[in-house]
Amino acid sequence: MESSTAQAVGFTEFLKGRFYRDLLSELLGTMLLVFVSCALSAHWDGEHYSVTLISLAAGICIATIVQCLANASGSHINPVISIAFAIAGHITPVRALCYGISQCVGATLAVVFCRALTPPSLIGPYYAVNRLNPLLTPAQGVGMEAVCTFFLTFTVFATVDKSRSDLEGSGPLAIGFSVLLSHTFGFKYTGAAMNPARSLGPAIIANKWEHHWVYWIGPLIGSLVAVLLYEYVIAGDASINKLKS
Amino acid sequence: MESSTAQAVGFTEFLKGRFYRDLLSELLGTMLLVFVSCALSAHWDGEHYSVTLISLAAGICIATIVQCLANASGSHINPVISIAFAIAGHITPVRALCYGISQCVGATLAVVFCRALTPPSLIGPYYAVNRLNPLLTPAQGVGMEAVCTFFLTFTVFATVDKSRSDLEGSGPLAIGFSVLLSHTFGFKYTGAAMNPARSLGPAIIANKWEHHWVYWIGPLIGSLVAVLLYEYVIAGDASINKLKS
Amino acid sequence: MESSTAQAVGFTEFLKGRFYRDLLSELLGTMLLVFVSCALSAHWDGEHYSVTLISLAAGICIATIVQCLANASGSHINPVISIAFAIAGHITPVRALCYGISQCVGATLAVVFCRALTPPSLIGPYYAVNRLNPLLTPAQGVGMEAVCTFFLTFTVFATVDKSRSDLEGSGPLAIGFSVLLSHTFGFKYTGAAMNPARSLGPAIIANKWEHHWVYWIGPLIGSLVAVLLYEYVIAGDASINKLKS
Amino acid sequence: MESSTAQAVGFTEFLKGRFYRDLLSELLGTMLLVFVSCALSAHWDGEHYSVTLISLAAGICIATIVQCLANASGSHINPVISIAFAIAGHITPVRALCYGISQCVGATLAVVFCRALTPPSLIGPYYAVNRLNPLLTPAQGVGMEAVCTFFLTFTVFATVDKSRSDLEGSGPLAIGFSVLLSHTFGFKYTGAAMNPARSLGPAIIANKWEHHWVYWIGPLIGSLVAVLLYEYVIAGDASINKLKS
């Protein structure tokens, strides 16, 4: 009995060599993602990139990383995605926790690495830190981050749903395009972070924490609503029975 | 005989639990679509987004929502698409009507929700209401909305055509890209709405009704021409017999 | 013997009802393509669209039309593609000729139709007519149109090659993206027309014929080089024997 | 024994007719790629293209060329990709070397060809030569080229990995999109060349060699790290045993 509980919680993960490969995969994927975010926040010739370019880059970045790492760790590269998979029973709680830690470490390393490659004059004190648009209240920021993340998590679960036979085409691209979408409408509001690890890395290095909680609470709410709505209502095999089990 | 008529018209839909799930899916999908349209009509720094960004966002938005909900309700999220499917005999008239109502409710809720998350100073009195370019006559507006919607409905029917074996790749993406296309050339003319529910929601909340009829008649004409031309002329199994049945 | 010659040249095509459906498909497809080109050449607020928008629109336009009509006529919507298919023996010479005529009629109707929907103040005397950049010599224009069309025809033949088993993903999108590509680098040179029918329609309606021959010779050369190089050198089943047969 | 060594090194390649077809394919592919890069570096109306356009063009260019030539030579069109495939044991060293020479010849021819089609007034003395942003140190340039190329090589190996069954969708598009991505964030730093042949061609014709070594060392490092990390750590069938063999 005890050993089966240990298995359900996931402590037995530590015994598998592949588990450490997966942690490395999450660290690498999140590092690449945050590196790209940092490099895109440099302001060459005194100008930031357009929302069009940033949206395209963010979406294709997720598509590319998922294409590369989906077969290893599943390429969550986002703590709220790992939590959603744990809630839906796809991975163990221990795995979700360890993924989350790997993701935060990768994100922090990425900022250090990108700063080393970027001329200091292009980096302000807020370099790559997610910030609310000053016109927004924190509650509005939470709401917009929740909507953006809802799109992401809902698309992830709809795309990896094995009970569907109607989908063809690239899964990584479909997931990446949901991120592209959230950036088009959400970037001016909150930066469309949708990812606490991505927000944490720059905040640690820059030591800027204003409204940082918004970037944890908003994505968590959006992701939770998405996974519950998809798994228990929309999915082809959804049922109230699932909730009881 | 009477019960089979009731079945053909679709009154028996109300007996299936899954029907209500499908109505929720249409409400949710249209709400997400109109939320994105509203958020994109805010004018940050006094400037609207470029046609390039809006086209990309609109196309990827449709692709993402269809990817997420196709397996539930079919993800019409547009009354003229539901009407076209009813005309082609894919769904019952009752289902088309109920979908249409769900779509209009979802669209209206989306505007309320998006206004709550957007700073009031970024929203004018016409926030997200579809308007004709003042250089256009209403007849030209009807024509351009018809052409834009023709692309959408024709692509939807060509993509879901089960008699075709020549198509690979993502169906949701092909449909989303037809919407991207219509926005590139049609946005400056009429806003490339192509969707009466999308037009209705903001009109209700803003109480602005000028040329509103254009956004019902244009898409209806375009969609009808597309479904008749595809089903009775272009489709691999098209025949004049279909028309008689 | 005579009847088999008639069959090889394609005179028997006229006996099949489906042949007329295919001609309608080519007319419709080219009409949609040229309609989009015309609508995109309007200059709202005194400004033309950016090369980015035009490239995206042109590529997705081709992808969408091929998605819609590939199963009917093959969706050539371009005389030099029809000629290339005739040279490679995929279609009869009669079919190529009749497709070409349908395409030119469709292109001309599109210009008439688009002018009716567009405010006259947005249309100059050269509305949608392909013109060489004044810095270019006609020979340079021929060369650039040939390179642009080479990409298109080469991609079409590589994508429809039945001897390949290594390709997945959407064929229409791959073809559309080759057109997007040619617009990014070629639009400023010549307009990246790559299609004599597309060039002819606006020239007829506007009665502007300067350098018009460039838009026939360039695409023809590029398309011929592409089909010969693909079919006789690069294709998996290419051989010098093919050339002899 | 000797003949099997000759086979392993690849000297027997020269006996196969198909080998020369493959060399032509690499020459053609690299020529097309560098032609596009050159045409995009012209400055019409005194302005360069936006990073958005250049990223889109670069990514779709790679996707299109791989779609066209993957079945012939594998469409490496980049010396560091050929070297990576040789290291991973997919091709012989002789083939990698001959591919590299073909690629460099194709790149040089492309510059000559593109100059002939482009008005001289649009070409400065540095026409299409890759240059470091003057704010960067050469070491930073090496680092950024390595990161950009890491994305490319890692995506190539993840996409062609035959042990994966989880990928659907277009392989050429996935690879092209990794190049699009690297251009979005890397173009302002170094030009996001990622390809010594692409850098060499313009350098030869313009006779400009400042920091040219950066464009060999950076891509080589990034590509080596990617192939080793993918093949020996991340791949489904990765193992330390592979390294020993």
Side-chain angles (χ1 to χ4, degrees), chain B:
Chain B
M1 288 294 274
E2 275 176 4
S3 86
S4 81
T5 305
Q7 209 173 347
V9 177
F11 289 119
T12 55
E13 303 264 29
F14 295 112
L15 305 175
K16 293 177 257 176
R18 194 144 276 211
F19 182 58
Y20 300 96
R21 194 267 319 250
D22 292 353
L23 295 185
L24 180 67
S25 165
E26 287 298 311
L27 189 153
L28 174 67
T30 317
M31 198 166 99
L32 291 170
L33 159 63
V34 178
F35 184 93
V36 171
S37 299
C38 285
L40 286 169
S41 71
H43 32 85
W44 304 89
D45 320 322
E47 266 185 54
H48 284 285
Y49 289 114
S50 70
V51 178
T52 304
L53 180 81
I54 286 172
S55 300
L56 201 62
I60 301 300
C61 181
I62 297 296
T64 300
I65 296 170
V66 176
Q67 172 86 6
C68 287
L69 299 174
N71 207 29
S73 60
S75 199
H76 301 176
I77 56 173
N78 187 338
V80 302
I81 295 290
S82 294
I83 291 170
F85 274 121
I87 286 171
H90 293 216
I91 62 168
T92 63
V94 162
R95 184 174 280 254
L97 183 68
C98 294
Y99 272 23
I101 295 168
S102 287
Q103 290 154 1
C104 292
V105 172
T108 310
L109 288 176
V111 184
V112 174
F113 194 35
C114 196
R115 282 171 76 110
L117 295 182
T118 305
S121 62
L122 309 180
I123 307 175
Y126 281 96
Y127 181 55
V129 173
N130 285 123
R131 283 181 294 166
L132 283 189
N133 189 297
L135 297 169
L136 252 66
T137 66
Q140 287 177 322
V142 167
M144 192 47 82
E145 280 292 315
V147 172
C148 289
T149 315
F150 177 89
F151 270 107
L152 168 62
T153 304
F154 205 90
T155 304
V156 167
F157 276 82
T159 302
V160 304
D161 179 350
K162 291 206 175 72
S163 76
R164 292 182 72 171
S165 61
D166 63 314
L167 287 181
E168 287 188 271
S170 166
L173 202 54
I175 293 167
F177 277 175
S178 75
V179 170
L180 191 165
L181 172 62
S182 290
H183 275 76
T184 59
F185 69 84
F187 186 77
K188 288 275 193 183
Y189 286 80
T190 64
M194 302 179 273
N195 185 334
R198 183 258 173 267
S199 298
L200 183 66
I204 286 175
I205 301 299
N207 198 24
K208 302 280 181 191
W209 300 97
E210 206 191 356
H211 298 138
H212 184 70
W213 62 274
V214 166
Y215 295 95
W216 284 82
I217 303 303
L220 260 173
I221 293 173
S223 201
L224 284 175
V225 173
V227 65
L228 296 174
L229 191 60
Y230 190 79
E231 291 285 304
Y232 300 114
V233 182
I234 298 293
D237 58 353
S239 85
I240 204 69
N241 293 331
K242 240 186 189 175
L243 203 55
K244 289 181 194 150
S245 70

Side-chain angles (χ1 to χ4, degrees), chain A residues 18 21 24 28 32 35-36 40 44-45 49 53 57 60-61 64 67-68 70-71 116-119 169-170 173, chain D residues 52 133 135-136 140 144 147 151 154-155 158-159 164 166-168 174 177 181 184-185 188-189 229 233-236:
Chain A
R18 195 143 275 211
R21 194 267 318 250
L24 179 67
L28 173 67
L32 291 170
F35 184 92
V36 171
L40 285 168
W44 304 91
D45 320 321
Y49 288 114
L53 180 81
I60 302 300
C61 181
T64 300
Q67 173 86 6
C68 287
N71 208 30
L117 296 181
T118 304
S170 166
L173 203 53
Chain D
T52 305
N133 188 298
L135 298 169
L136 252 66
Q140 287 177 322
M144 191 49 81
V147 173
F151 270 108
F154 205 90
T155 304
T159 301
R164 290 182 74 172
D166 64 314
L167 287 181
E168 287 188 272
F177 277 175
L181 172 62
T184 59
F185 70 83
K188 289 274 192 184
Y189 286 81
L229 192 60
V233 182
I234 297 293

Side-chain angles (χ1 to χ4, degrees), chain A:
Chain A
M1 288 295 274
E2 274 175 5
S3 86
S4 81
T5 304
Q7 209 173 346
V9 178
F11 289 119
T12 55
E13 303 265 27
F14 294 112
L15 305 175
K16 294 176 256 176
R18 195 143 275 211
F19 182 59
Y20 301 95
R21 194 267 318 250
D22 294 352
L23 295 184
L24 179 67
S25 166
E26 288 297 312
L27 189 152
L28 173 67
T30 316
M31 200 167 97
L32 291 170
L33 159 64
V34 177
F35 184 92
V36 171
S37 299
C38 285
L40 285 168
S41 71
H43 33 84
W44 304 91
D45 320 321
E47 266 185 55
H48 284 286
Y49 288 114
S50 70
V51 177
T52 304
L53 180 81
I54 286 171
S55 301
L56 202 62
I60 302 300
C61 181
I62 297 295
T64 300
I65 295 170
V66 175
Q67 173 86 6
C68 287
L69 299 174
N71 208 30
S73 59
S75 200
H76 302 176
I77 55 173
N78 186 339
V80 300
I81 295 290
S82 295
I83 291 170
F85 274 121
I87 286 170
H90 293 215
I91 62 169
T92 61
V94 162
R95 184 174 279 254
L97 183 68
C98 294
Y99 273 23
I101 294 167
S102 286
Q103 290 154 2
C104 291
V105 172
T108 310
L109 289 176
V111 184
V112 175
F113 193 33
C114 196
R115 282 172 76 110
L117 296 181
T118 304
S121 62
L122 309 180
I123 306 176
Y126 282 96
Y127 181 55
V129 173
N130 286 124
R131 283 181 294 165
L132 283 190
N133 189 297
L135 296 170
L136 252 66
T137 65
Q140 288 177 322
V142 167
M144 191 49 81
E145 280 292 315
V147 172
C148 290
T149 315
F150 177 88
F151 269 108
L152 168 61
T153 304
F154 205 90
T155 304
V156 167
F157 276 81
T159 301
V160 305
D161 179 350
K162 290 204 176 73
S163 77
R164 292 181 72 171
S165 61
D166 64 314
L167 287 181
E168 288 188 271
S170 166
L173 203 53
I175 292 167
F177 276 175
S178 75
V179 169
L180 190 165
L181 172 62
S182 289
H183 275 75
T184 59
F185 69 83
F187 185 77
K188 288 275 193 183
Y189 287 81
T190 63
M194 303 179 272
N195 186 335
R198 183 256 173 268
S199 299
L200 183 66
I204 286 174
I205 301 301
N207 197 23
K208 301 280 181 191
W209 300 98
E210 205 191 357
H211 299 137
H212 184 70
W213 61 274
V214 166
Y215 295 95
W216 285 81
I217 303 303
L220 259 174
I221 293 173
S223 201
L224 284 175
V225 173
V227 66
L228 296 174
L229 191 61
Y230 190 80
E231 290 285 305
Y232 299 113
V233 182
I234 298 294
D237 57 354
S239 85
I240 204 71
N241 294 329
K242 239 185 188 175
L243 203 55
K244 290 180 192 151
S245 70

Side-chain angles (χ1 to χ4, degrees), chain D residues 22-185:
Chain D
D22 293 352
L23 295 184
L24 180 66
S25 165
E26 288 298 312
L27 188 152
L28 174 66
T30 317
M31 198 168 98
L32 291 170
L33 159 63
V34 178
F35 184 93
V36 171
S37 299
C38 284
L40 286 169
S41 71
H43 32 84
W44 304 90
D45 321 320
E47 267 184 55
H48 284 286
Y49 289 113
S50 69
V51 177
T52 305
L53 181 81
I54 286 172
S55 301
L56 202 61
I60 302 299
C61 181
I62 297 295
T64 299
I65 295 171
V66 175
Q67 172 87 4
C68 287
L69 300 173
N71 208 30
S73 60
S75 200
H76 302 175
I77 55 174
N78 187 339
V80 300
I81 296 289
S82 295
I83 291 170
F85 274 121
I87 286 170
H90 294 216
I91 62 170
T92 62
V94 162
R95 184 173 280 254
L97 182 69
C98 294
Y99 272 23
I101 294 167
S102 287
Q103 291 154 1
C104 292
V105 172
T108 310
L109 289 175
V111 184
V112 175
F113 194 33
C114 195
R115 282 173 76 110
L117 296 181
T118 305
S121 62
L122 309 181
I123 306 176
Y126 281 96
Y127 181 56
V129 173
N130 286 123
R131 284 181 294 164
L132 281 190
N133 188 298
L135 298 169
L136 252 66
T137 64
Q140 287 177 322
V142 167
M144 191 49 81
E145 280 292 314
V147 173
C148 289
T149 315
F150 177 88
F151 270 108
L152 168 61
T153 304
F154 205 90
T155 304
V156 167
F157 276 82
T159 301
V160 306
D161 179 349
K162 290 205 176 73
S163 76
R164 290 182 74 172
S165 61
D166 64 314
L167 287 181
E168 287 188 272
S170 166
L173 202 53
I175 293 167
F177 277 175
S178 75
V179 170
L180 191 165
L181 172 62
S182 290
H183 275 75
T184 59
F185 70 83

